[in-house]
Amino acid sequence: MNAPWKPASLATRDPFVAFVCDETTAEAIRPIAAELGWSPDKVNKGGLRNAVQSLSVSASPHILFVDLSESGDPLNDINGLAEVCEPGTVVIALGQVNDVRLYRDLVASGIHDYLLKPVNPDMLRDAFGAAQAMLNAPKQVEASVDRPHRSVAVIGTRGGVGASTVATSLAWLMSDKQGQSTALLDLDVHFGTGALALDLEPGRGLTDAIENPSRIDGLFIERAMVKASEKLAVLSAEAPINSPMMTDGSAFYQLQEEMRAAFECTVVDLPRGMLVQHPHLIADVQIAVIVTELTLAAARDTIRILSWMKSNAPGTRVFLLANRIHPGAQLEISRKDFEGSIERKIDVSVPFDQKLAAQAAKLGKPLAEAGKNSKTVAPILDLSAKLAAFDEDDAPNPAGPAKKGDSLMGKLDLKGLIGKRGGKVSK
């Protein structure tokens, strides 16, 4: 709440608003407010609950005075207030609990000052004077740090190919092994598993961002993201499946922008449907990891997605990862036939390991952490090293065929592939 506010919002914000629980406190504040040139009418009854309700539908003032006397859990309720307060609001809290631990916790949560009842004029003048001094003090502008940022999108060609597993493993490796502060953004709003794979509660951050894109800024990112480790944070969701998310994608784009400023690496678990609904999300992504499997349906959709990437994101470096590779005899399509059909080599091949996958799920750890020395994890570890060393000046590799007018039947050679697995082609 004490972070620098956005200059564009200055003209629409009141200089002062108070929410108090009793008339005695209100009568004490009104004359002091008038002395400072503030409207006494801005002293409202209702305390913290009324403050949260009012500020959820109106702009926050520069100085907010809020009474916590009727709050059963002041610290938790202040966090609720923080969710509706715009950055830059200086909050002065009033209560009747004289506890130094509560004071410290409230200040740590972003409160500027905590006063005890009953208030007197001198106490109020001092508190309001200090709040004004904070607002008028020169804002420190942090020197921009010229550091490279890795923006990675992980996209599955089919449901169930393990794109989310790869995304969480890459995010963990980028933070733990490559030493980069990393954000994992899971854009499967209703069924995302980013937080679940890390044994975390997803929180409401992602759904709040979609519902209120204007609130997305550095402070929102800091509060909404769930820390998985010192260098890894995740933004995921488990939105109710009876509540469709109506969005034009601007919230997702803004989240990516803020994460670029706050982290050295962003890993986005990007459902393939997002490419159709919100193609702009891939615009600034440096690296795309396309996760596929060696099946007929995956071959078809690999061709389509690689073609889409070539047309819509020609500057994005594409890595093709074949996941859950069974022994040769169990493959639906051989690697050679798969690569021939898509006219492109597979960059990374990850062996299938059911035992490791089950162990990772039971432990609540990403696959890469659960199987640190596993042959299954080794290819993903190598990929994370390539991502960490990626240079923006590197020329992107060709994404795939994408030749206009190419026949899908010709690309897949369906008769040949199906014939090799003993099936028949219907005429």
Side-chain angles (χ1 to χ4, degrees):
M1 282 176 280
N2 289 340
W5 66 86
K6 298 177 181 178
S9 65
L10 292 178
T12 60
R13 298 173 66 174
D14 289 320
F16 168 78
V17 175
F19 296 89
V20 298
C21 298
D22 60 273
E23 187 60 30
T24 302
T25 302
E27 288 298 327
I29 295 174
R30 288 187 182 112
I32 307 302
E35 283 181 19
L36 296 170
W38 302 332
S39 171
D41 294 336
K42 294 298 181 180
V43 180
N44 305 286
K45 297 291 287 295
L48 182 60
R49 180 175 298 180
N50 191 28
V52 173
Q53 291 176 346
S54 298
L55 296 179
S56 65
V57 295
S58 63
S60 305
H62 293 320
I63 298 175
L64 173 65
F65 189 95
V66 60
D67 193 340
L68 308 181
S69 301
E70 295 178 353
S71 172
D73 187 353
L75 190 59
N76 184 59
D77 291 343
I78 279 293
N79 290 332
L81 179 65
E83 292 183 1
V84 298
C85 259
E86 295 177 40
T89 299
V90 178
V91 179
I92 301 170
L94 175 69
Q96 50 194 10
V97 178
N98 188 2
D99 186 340
V100 69
R101 290 173 298 178
L102 174 61
Y103 172 80
R104 288 173 178 167
D105 288 341
L106 288 173
V107 170
S109 71
I111 294 296
H112 173 64
D113 201 357
Y114 176 67
L115 308 180
L116 284 173
K117 286 187 173 182
V119 292
N120 60 62
D122 289 338
M123 182 192 301
L124 292 171
R125 288 188 186 97
D126 289 344
F128 292 150
Q132 286 182 312
M134 170 172 282
L135 288 173
N136 295 328
K139 301 299 180 289
Q140 293 183 350
V141 179
E142 295 183 3
S144 61
V145 179
D146 185 15
R147 65 181 184 187
H149 179 85
R150 307 284 177 266
S151 181
V152 183
V154 181
I155 306 164
T157 59
R158 303 283 300 168
V161 298
S164 294
T165 300
V166 171
T168 51
S169 287
L170 280 176
W172 183 83
L173 288 168
M174 293 300 289
S175 64
D176 187 81
K177 299 300 182 183
Q178 307 306 328
Q180 297 186 355
S181 59
T182 304
L184 173 61
L185 176 58
D186 184 352
L187 291 186
D188 188 342
V189 180
H190 291 91
F191 300 102
T193 57
L196 181 65
L198 296 165
D199 196 24
L200 299 170
E201 290 290 335
R204 275 194 50 86
L206 183 53
T207 50
D208 285 347
I210 296 169
E211 292 167 358
N212 302 286
S214 62
R215 290 186 52 214
I216 300 172
D217 57 18
L219 186 63
F220 178 88
I221 292 295
E222 181 183 337
R223 287 176 173 160
M225 298 201 70
V226 181
K227 295 280 286 185
S229 67
E230 183 181 349
K231 290 197 171 185
L232 176 62
V234 60
L235 190 60
S236 186
E238 292 174 9
I241 58 177
N242 61 347
S243 302
M245 288 291 168
M246 307 303 292
T247 175
D248 59 0
S250 61
F252 303 141
Y253 188 80
Q254 286 176 258
L255 286 170
Q256 287 176 283
E257 286 290 302
E258 292 297 336
M259 287 178 180
R260 286 188 188 96
F263 296 89
E264 294 173 280
C265 176
T266 303
V267 177
V268 184
D269 187 351
L270 188 64
R272 57 184 179 154
M274 287 281 187
L275 298 179
V276 180
Q277 299 295 329
H278 311 296
H280 60 282
L281 295 182
I282 206 76
D284 294 328
V285 170
Q286 299 165 319
I287 305 161
V289 178
I290 310 298
V291 182
T292 189
E293 60 186 359
L294 301 189
T295 64
L296 191 63
R300 179 200 67 179
D301 290 340
T302 299
I303 291 173
R304 299 171 73 194
I305 291 175
L306 289 176
S307 176
W308 188 96
M309 292 293 300
K310 189 170 184 179
S311 300
N312 294 273
T316 300
R317 174 71 160 91
V318 175
F319 288 91
L320 182 60
L321 183 150
N323 195 31
R324 298 176 177 173
I325 303 301
H326 295 266
Q330 299 178 29
L331 291 174
E332 185 173 320
I333 304 176
S334 71
R335 176 169 178 165
K336 181 180 178 181
D337 287 338
F338 188 94
E339 291 178 333
S341 296
I342 67 172
E343 295 185 355
R344 188 192 191 282
K345 293 291 185 182
I346 292 170
D347 299 299
V348 184
S349 180
V350 180
F352 179 70
D353 190 336
Q354 179 60 48
K355 183 177 179 181
L356 176 59
Q359 182 183 12
K362 289 178 182 177
L363 295 175
K365 295 181 177 180
L367 194 73
E369 184 180 7
K372 293 180 181 179
N373 301 314
S374 165
K375 292 181 180 179
T376 299
V377 173
I380 307 177
L381 177 59
D382 290 343
L383 176 58
S384 73
K386 292 178 181 177
L387 301 186
F390 177 78
D391 187 340
E392 281 193 79
D393 295 330
D394 290 346
N397 62 329
K403 296 176 184 176
K404 207 165 186 179
D406 281 344
S407 164
L408 180 62
M409 292 289 285
K411 289 294 175 197
L412 284 176
D413 186 16
L414 291 178
K415 288 186 179 181
L417 290 177
I418 294 176
K420 288 179 181 179
R421 62 179 186 175
K424 294 183 180 180
V425 181
S426 59
K427 297 181 180 179

